Amino acid sequence: LCEAVVTNLKPLSISINKTNISFNLCVNAALNLELNIDKISTQEAELKEALSTLYKAFKLNVGDKVLVKRVGNIFYIISKVIMV
């Protein structure tokens, strides 16, 4: 396993040790969701806030650190990494 940085979202690209990788990438679908929380129709403000918080925690952005596993020539983005 190694750490990488997201350098682009469309197309998805990562950088590992200053080497840019934009092909043979596999990513957990939860990291690549495109949702518009504001368009969810509900009267429950707490529900929207919770969904927004979860979405921000999972959604990849440029500059995010990710944990990557390389298998042959395929790079699997396992998860987003944050400092605590």
Side-chain angles (χ1 to χ4, degrees), residues 24-40:
N24 294 338
L25 286 172
C26 296
V27 64
N28 180 327
L31 299 173
N32 213 22
L33 289 175
E34 292 188 25
L35 297 176
N36 186 343
I37 302 296
D38 293 330
K39 288 189 175 182
I40 295 175

Side-chain angles (χ1 to χ4, degrees), residues 51-61 64 80:
L51 287 172
S52 181
T53 300
L54 284 171
Y55 181 64
K56 288 176 185 173
F58 283 99
K59 177 76 172 111
L60 287 179
N61 293 297
D64 284 346
K80 185 174 171 177

Side-chain angles (χ1 to χ4, degrees), residues 24 41 71:
N24 294 338
S41 177
V71 179

Side-chain angles (χ1 to χ4, degrees), residues 12-26:
L12 183 60
S13 303
I14 60 172
S15 177
I16 301 174
N17 296 327
K18 298 183 182 179
T19 300
N20 195 46
I21 300 162
S22 59
F23 57 93
N24 294 338
L25 286 172
C26 296

